[in-house]
Amino acid sequence: MLTLIILAGSGAAVGALCRFGLMRLAQPLNGRWPLPVATLFINLTGSLLLGMILTHHLPLNWQVFLGTGIMGGYTTFSTMINEVVLLSRNHHRQTAWSYLGLSLLGGLGLTLIGTLI
């Protein structure tokens, strides 16, 4: 059990560092797009990768490290929800609904595509 905890935690650290790096790279896009592009990109690519990870019959240690750990640290549901609330509060309700729908439906669709790859 301790091994799985260490694998999940170390994977989460790797995923969070990847997310942090991508968010920094995307900073010049802030304000140029109506949607939070960096978070959308991270969550959609994370969905695709998670679908790919889930369909491979990997040993439990690898599932925990890659799926729970890296993808859990990389993707960010809480940031997405926060951005939806902020868009809505700033009178961009249509953009907020579009972002939420694109995130959820896009994520589900890309997870399915990932399972087919």
Side-chain angles (χ1 to χ4, degrees):
M1 183 60 141
L2 181 59
T3 301
L4 295 178
I5 292 169
I6 292 169
L7 287 170
S10 59
V14 169
L17 288 170
C18 291
R19 181 179 75 226
F20 177 77
L22 285 172
M23 296 292 272
R24 295 285 304 225
L25 286 173
Q27 278 182 339
L29 297 175
N30 287 346
R32 291 184 168 185
W33 297 85
L35 299 175
V37 178
T39 306
L40 183 62
F41 175 80
I42 287 167
N43 285 338
L44 292 179
T45 57
S47 295
L48 177 69
L49 293 170
L50 186 60
M52 293 169 70
I53 291 167
L54 291 174
T55 56
H56 288 80
H57 299 289
L58 300 172
L60 179 61
N61 287 353
W62 281 104
Q63 289 177 11
V64 169
F65 178 71
L66 295 171
T68 304
I70 292 179
M71 291 298 100
Y74 177 68
T75 58
T76 174
F77 184 79
S78 59
T79 299
M80 179 197 66
I81 294 301
N82 184 55
E83 290 167 343
V84 167
V85 170
L86 290 175
L87 283 168
S88 186
R89 281 187 186 164
N90 291 320
H91 308 290
H92 299 286
R93 285 184 179 82
Q94 184 175 352
T95 303
W97 281 106
S98 298
Y99 176 52
L100 182 62
L102 187 57
S103 295
L104 296 175
L105 295 175
L108 287 171
L110 285 168
T111 301
L112 177 62
I113 290 170
T115 63
L116 300 173
I117 293 177

